[in-house]
Amino acid sequence: MKTIHTIIFDLGGVLIDWNPEYVYLEVFNGDRDKMTWFFDTICTHDWNENQDAGYPLEKATEDRVAMFPEHEELIRMFYGRWEEMLGGAIEGTVEILKSLINNPNYKVVALTNWSHETFPIALQRFEFLHWFEGIIVSGEEQTRKPFKEIYELTLKRFNIAAEDAVFIDDNLRNIKAAETMGITGIHFKSPEQLTKALQELHITL
């Protein structure tokens, strides 16, 4: 059994609830099919992730408007109303984080896919983001998960040995990428499931 000394948290979907549905489900009058079509076709997950890797929000918006001018108003909402997509903290995970931060046996850092333009809003809103020893924000680094470079950067910047670390993320793709680096992965589904997974790794909460 490996001894874990470092816990690496993802943020969105693990500690912070972010979901564009908070804006668009209302815009589409509750029509989930239309909303899903919009996310699958126009303001797609891949498009948004490109901004997580540092692409300017304004340029990304204008690019999309040029491609789909008939949907300009809806496209401009994506970053224009971004703050409304930012829900609350996932309190159960925040409690887990607090316990780990208070334990001197662990180094606790974060690795997030997040635009450098919007991350300051989260920093202002969520006090617990200031608890970490450090945070790697993909937009600041011009790369993102699941690319190898961002995991290498995290290990190097915080002087982490991959075999001594566990990485918690709600995206299985990102977990698998971390595991190829020798980092133990936990695919986050709920605070209760995370508690159990950490206990199975003999991490003290």
Side-chain angles (χ1 to χ4, degrees), residues 6 26 31 35 40 45 53 71 73 79 83 102 108 125 128 138 140 149 151 161 175 182 185 190-192 195 197:
T6 301
E26 180 183 348
D31 190 327
M35 181 185 69
D40 286 347
H45 179 72
H71 297 291
E73 184 179 357
Y79 294 116
E83 285 192 59
N102 289 335
V108 186
R125 186 176 297 188
F128 62 81
S138 62
E140 295 174 358
E149 293 82 7
Y151 298 97
I175 290 295
S190 70
E192 296 74 22
T195 296

Side-chain angles (χ1 to χ4, degrees), residues 100-151:
L100 293 168
I101 291 284
N102 289 335
N103 190 323
N105 294 320
Y106 301 120
K107 176 185 295 188
V108 186
V109 300
L111 168 58
T112 184
N113 278 0
W114 206 304
S115 165
H116 64 289
E117 295 181 63
T118 56
F119 192 65
I121 298 167
L123 276 176
Q124 198 169 32
R125 186 176 297 188
F126 300 106
E127 173 61 30
F128 62 81
L129 293 179
H130 300 273
W131 299 351
F132 289 100
E133 185 166 322
I135 301 176
I136 297 286
V137 178
S138 62
E140 295 174 358
E141 309 300 339
Q142 305 288 297
T143 186
R144 62 172 175 80
K145 300 174 287 185
F147 300 123
K148 183 178 180 181
E149 293 82 7
I150 203 160
Y151 298 97

Side-chain angles (χ1 to χ4, degrees), residues 28-60:
F28 284 108
N29 298 312
D31 190 327
R32 190 167 289 276
D33 289 340
K34 283 186 179 179
M35 181 185 69
T36 299
W37 175 86
F38 179 77
F39 290 145
D40 286 347
T41 310
I42 299 174
C43 288
T44 66
H45 179 72
D46 287 346
W47 171 75
N48 183 50
E49 278 206 322
N50 196 42
Q51 284 68 266
D52 287 345
Y55 196 74
L57 303 188
E58 184 176 355
K59 187 162 182 6

Side-chain angles (χ1 to χ4, degrees), residues 78-97:
F78 197 92
Y79 294 116
R81 296 180 62 182
W82 183 88
E83 285 192 59
E84 297 173 54
M85 303 175 191
L86 197 59
I90 300 173
E91 294 296 346
T93 317
V94 175
E95 289 304 311
I96 294 168
L97 173 65

